């Protein structure tokens, strides 16, 4: 099969050989394959990292595409696509050849791939530009953090449940959230978000490290001890830069209305903090 094709080539001049390449759509197949390969490589660069495929996967795709290129050219030279299916080119009567129709289809496929390639290239450039902008934004945040926390900044850590009953955890967490919300209403005060602050729940992290990571100057921590119908709450304001106490207070109440007690104690602590931080 391949030998007969080579025999035909040997009888052609250089110009005739090139014309035969065009007639058999070998040139069009080559162009289409190169465009398809480029698009596929761009897609692997985008999709492979998303699915956790290692870098060698992209290199393997390039190698396979390179190996497939000469095979595609040989296939285009030896075979012809006819209305009855794929046939050997030597078995197709020239008067019944439909290579011109196949050529138009290949041109349409190539144009479609080129348009898709331009879309992929444009999307990639936009993504890179956004990534660069995001990187610059991250630098600004780091610069702000390196400038040091504002004196009017605070983080409210989850209050520790000192009771024997783990079910009282909701009360200590609720009190800390109530305090955080009340402090956040003070315009002059910068309060670290709940998610960031509560990430340290149950962890024995140095308060100075917490202050650095949350970029705050002050930290409010405390404990809740519930016994029967009474609750004792201790709140402490800590200077995050050195770990020393700035203020501390203890509150004892009858546990008649949990939410009212939370509101009362949080209001008392907020008033005390206003004086301490001013």
């Amino acid at each position: 099969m391949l030998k007969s094709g080579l025999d035909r080539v040997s009888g052609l001049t250089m110009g005739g050989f090139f014309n035969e390449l065009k007639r058999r759509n070998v040139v069009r197949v080559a162009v289409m394959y190169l465009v398809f390969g480029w698009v596929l490589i761009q897609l692997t660069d985008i999709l492979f990292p998303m699915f956790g495929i290692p870098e060698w996967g992209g290199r393997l795709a390039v190698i396979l595409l390179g190996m497939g290129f000469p095979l595609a050219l040989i296939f285009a030279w030896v075979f012809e696509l006819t209305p009855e299916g794929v046939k050997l080119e030597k078995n197709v009567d020239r008067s019944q050849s439909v290579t011109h129709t196949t050529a138009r289809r290949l041109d349409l496929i190539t144009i479609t791939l080129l348009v898709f390639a331009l879309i992929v290239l444009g999307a990639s450039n936009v993504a890179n530009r956004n990534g660069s902008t995001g990187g610059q934004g991250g630098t600004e945040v780091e610069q702000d953090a390196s400038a040091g926390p504002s004196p009017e900044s605070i983080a409210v850590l989850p209050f520790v449940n000192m009771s024997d009953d783990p079910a009282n955890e909701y009360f200590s967490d609720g009190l800390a959230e109530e305090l955080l919300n009340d402090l956040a209403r003070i315009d002059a005060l910068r309060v670290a978000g709940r998610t960031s602050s509560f990430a340290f729940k149950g962890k024995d992290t140095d308060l100075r490290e917490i202050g650095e990571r949350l970029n705050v100057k002050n930290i409010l921590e405390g404990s809740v001890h519930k016994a029967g119908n009474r609750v004792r709450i201790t709140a402490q304001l800590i200077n995050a830069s050195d770990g020393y106490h700035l203020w501390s207070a203890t509150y004892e109440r009858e546990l008649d209305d949990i939410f009212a007690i939370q509101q009362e104690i949080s209001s008392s602590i907020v008033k005390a903090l206003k004086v301490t931080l001013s």
Side-chain angles (χ1 to χ4, degrees), residues 40-68:
L40 189 61
I41 291 172
Q42 298 304 312
L43 290 177
T44 57
D45 288 342
I46 297 172
L47 298 178
F48 277 24
M50 293 174 57
F51 293 98
I53 300 176
E55 292 184 2
W56 60 261
R59 291 193 291 269
L60 178 61
V62 174
I63 293 173
L64 292 177
L65 283 171
M67 294 173 59

Side-chain angles (χ1 to χ4, degrees), residues 127-139:
N128 291 336
R129 192 178 299 113
N130 290 340
S132 175
T133 304
Q136 293 174 357
T139 302

Side-chain angles (χ1 to χ4, degrees), residues 38-245:
W38 184 86
V39 172
L40 189 61
I41 291 172
Q42 298 304 312
L43 290 177
T44 57
D45 288 342
I46 297 172
L47 298 178
F48 277 24
M50 293 174 57
F51 293 98
I53 300 176
E55 292 184 2
W56 60 261
R59 291 193 291 269
L60 178 61
V62 174
I63 293 173
L64 292 177
L65 283 171
M67 294 173 59
F69 183 67
L71 297 178
L73 299 185
I74 293 173
F75 185 90
W77 175 267
V78 175
F79 295 95
E80 182 175 331
L81 185 62
T82 69
E84 291 79 23
V86 178
K87 293 183 178 181
L88 286 172
E89 191 277 336
K90 66 177 183 178
N91 296 334
V92 178
D93 189 337
R94 291 289 179 92
S95 62
Q96 298 178 353
S97 177
V98 292
T99 53
H100 57 285
T101 303
T102 305
R104 287 197 294 269
R105 292 177 180 174
L106 289 173
D107 289 342
L108 180 60
I109 294 174
T110 302
I111 292 172
T112 303
L113 286 172
L114 283 172
V115 172
F116 186 72
L118 291 175
I119 294 174
V120 171
L121 184 61
S124 178
N125 289 336
V126 171
N128 291 336
R129 192 178 299 113
N130 290 340
S132 175
T133 304
Q136 293 174 357
T139 302
E140 292 175 1
V141 172
E142 291 174 1
Q143 290 174 349
D144 291 343
S146 64
S150 168
E152 294 79 24
S153 58
I154 188 171
V156 181
L157 299 184
F159 278 32
V160 179
N161 175 29
M162 304 296 291
S163 307
D164 296 331
D165 187 0
N168 292 324
E169 197 83 18
Y170 75 93
F171 180 80
S172 56
D173 286 348
L175 178 60
E177 286 193 48
E178 194 72 37
L179 284 166
L180 190 150
N181 292 333
D182 287 345
L183 289 171
R185 296 189 184 99
I186 303 175
D187 294 334
L189 200 59
R190 293 179 54 201
V191 183
R194 178 194 181 281
T195 302
S196 301
S197 299
F198 275 53
F200 295 96
K201 181 177 179 178
K203 298 180 181 179
D204 191 20
T205 307
D206 189 281
L207 293 179
R208 290 169 294 185
E209 180 182 347
I210 294 176
E212 290 179 2
R213 292 172 63 176
L214 298 181
N215 195 31
V216 294
K217 183 69 174 178
N218 308 283
I219 294 177
L220 180 66
E221 64 171 359
S223 61
V224 178
H225 186 273
K226 180 175 174 291
N229 199 41
R230 291 189 64 83
V231 61
R232 182 171 68 249
I233 298 170
T234 300
Q236 301 171 337
L237 182 65
I238 311 296
N239 186 333
S241 60
D242 54 24
Y244 287 105
H245 283 74

